[in-house]
Amino acid sequence: VLESLKGLNRGRLSIAVASTVNYFAPRLLAIFQQRHPGVSLRLDVTNRESLVQMLDSNTVDLVLMGVPPRDVEVESEAFMDNPLVVIAPPDHPLAGERNIPLARLADEVFVMREEGSGTRQAMERFFSERGQKIRHGMQMTRNEAVKQAVRSGLGLSVVSLHTIELELETGRLVILDVEGFPDRRQWYLVYRRGKRLSPAASAFRDFVLTEAPAIAAPYWPRP
Ligand code: PGA
């Protein structure tokens, strides 16, 4: 306790985050580093599949991700809302329409993330649970690529609200008001079950669980 009050003066902490988490993770790291300047931090940014591998091989202290694994024994704690929304270019015919029925999306093409993506997994689950077929368009391995593709008219997509803060501010993308959305999901802090957290890791865990929402909750445009 005393150590965490004074600030940890040494230690190494390796954190891995989903590419979608990277939109706010550096903000958390910056504040944590100010409070604990002696801790040396390392951040890996990758997709869900690689995060699961890192947990499995025990090569990372803590992971921040959207869909905790089931096939690896982990502790996972939800720490913040992660709303998934349907995005479109601002000149799309459905932009500005209220309560768009899910069935209307059958005529649209969706830009897809790669197979190992947690966002893609969540999106596919959302539609299949509701018996809604969607047409897969181009597939891309980065959120940035997906956003550019949607902006360029290649289709709609489903992304975490955290990833489109700047595009909403500048009006380059819009959120469609589709039935059932936002898909209310959560971000999780995850580590291997039975792992003994170092003082630095456990200070970071406490920090994320108690303070992340106040620091990193996304800008939420009211319709
Ligand atoms: P991803 O991130 O789509 O980049 O994999 C989200 C997640 O882990 O669920």
Side-chain angles (χ1 to χ4, degrees), residues 93-191:
L94 293 176
E97 237 179 84
R98 305 294 300 268
N99 304 316
I100 302 162
L102 204 53
R104 285 282 295 276
L105 298 186
D107 303 331
E108 301 290 334
V109 168
F110 280 79
V111 179
M112 305 296 291
R113 283 282 305 279
E114 76 282 9
E115 292 276 1
S117 151
T119 306
R120 173 171 177 151
Q121 187 180 312
M123 166 183 179
E124 290 190 319
R125 185 168 305 162
F126 179 94
F127 288 119
S128 78
E129 277 172 357
R130 288 161 182 79
Q132 182 64 50
K133 288 228 157 35
I134 56 160
R135 288 159 60 199
H136 290 195
M138 242 182 243
Q139 177 173 312
M140 320 203 158
T141 52
R142 290 279 182 275
N143 274 299
E144 288 305 314
V146 169
K147 294 192 295 184
Q148 295 296 335
V150 171
R151 234 189 109 185
S152 317
L154 280 173
L156 305 180
S157 196
V158 173
V159 296
S160 163
L161 183 58
H162 280 98
T163 68
I164 50 170
E165 209 174 305
L166 290 178
E167 286 77 9
L168 293 178
E169 266 168 33
T170 54
R172 289 181 178 165
L173 288 172
V174 295
I175 294 175
L176 296 186
D177 182 16
V178 178
E179 178 193 354
F181 283 96
D183 184 12
R184 296 193 179 278
R185 309 187 65 84
Q186 303 234 273
W187 293 119
Y188 292 87
L189 179 133
V190 184
Y191 53 94

Side-chain angles (χ1 to χ4, degrees), residues 17-21 46-49 51 63-68 82 84 113-114 116-122 141 143 160 185-187:
V17 305
S19 56
T20 39
V21 173
T46 181
N47 74 10
R48 178 177 189 277
E49 192 171 75
L51 294 173
V63 166
L64 304 180
M65 66 195 301
V67 189
N82 172 26
L84 297 188
R113 283 282 305 279
E114 76 282 9
S117 151
T119 306
R120 173 171 177 151
Q121 187 180 312
T141 52
N143 274 299
S160 163
R185 309 187 65 84
Q186 303 234 273
W187 293 119

